[in-house]
Amino acid sequence: MTISADQRVARSRRTPLLVAAAGLAVLGGAGLVAADLLAGSSSAESIELMLPADGGAASICLAFTVEDLARMSPAFAGTVTDLTDEGAVLRVDRWYAGPEASEVTVSVPDGAQIALNGTIDFQVGRAYLITGEGGLVNLCGYSGELTPELQAAFEAAF
């Protein structure tokens, strides 16, 4: 079988695309496995999230949208049952998306104080709506103390 010059050029252009597509498929599969491991199993008693460090990427906020909120996981409503310098423990009152553990621990970055972190002012006995991604709590209005406005957004999103 003879391959023309045009066929060789077409194949040489397709090969990098096929290699790139295969690589993305492998990375995508690895990402799904990593996301599954990070999220924990559905029978977990507790999961852990961390507040982003001050001055990081989380300090740059895009406009809040219900559409973006709907893509976030984990997402839950919870009440703070314990508060220490290291973080807050929330009893999950309702899961919107995620592993459905009964408790979530929200830790602060090493060396930060929860009151100084400037992200969410957790208080024992108060209810919060929290979303996360990649093990970090989403800020910029996607997590915070339970208010009628935030609850309406969660209801619309989930």
Side-chain angles (χ1 to χ4, degrees), residues 30-49:
L32 290 175
V33 170
D36 188 45
L37 291 174
L38 187 61
S41 69
S42 61
S43 63
E45 291 290 320
S46 179
I47 63 170
E48 185 169 335
L49 296 172

Side-chain angles (χ1 to χ4, degrees), residues 51-69:
L51 288 170
D54 290 337
S59 62
I60 302 168
C61 293
L62 300 176
F64 177 94
T65 67
V66 172
E67 293 79 18
D68 287 338
L69 178 63

Side-chain angles (χ1 to χ4, degrees), residues 40 45 57 119 128 134 150-151:
E45 291 290 320
T119 54
Y128 297 83
L150 189 54
Q151 185 168 19

Side-chain angles (χ1 to χ4, degrees), residues 58-151:
S59 62
I60 302 168
C61 293
L62 300 176
F64 177 94
T65 67
V66 172
E67 293 79 18
D68 287 338
L69 178 63
R71 291 188 275 275
M72 296 181 179
S73 180
F76 67 95
T79 302
V80 175
T81 59
D82 191 23
L83 190 62
T84 68
D85 288 342
E86 290 80 36
V89 177
L90 291 92
R91 178 194 68 241
V92 177
D93 300 321
R94 177 179 176 192
W95 277 102
Y96 291 93
E100 300 197 15
S102 59
E103 181 179 275
V104 175
T105 301
V106 177
S107 302
V108 295
D110 288 338
Q113 295 285 326
I114 203 161
L116 301 176
N117 191 272
T119 54
I120 299 173
D121 184 21
F122 288 110
Q123 299 293 321
V124 173
R126 289 192 182 168
Y128 297 83
L129 292 165
I130 306 291
T131 64
E133 185 174 8
L136 295 175
V137 172
N138 291 319
L139 301 176
C140 300
Y142 292 101
S143 297
E145 190 166 359
L146 191 148
T147 64
E149 296 81 15
L150 189 54
Q151 185 168 19

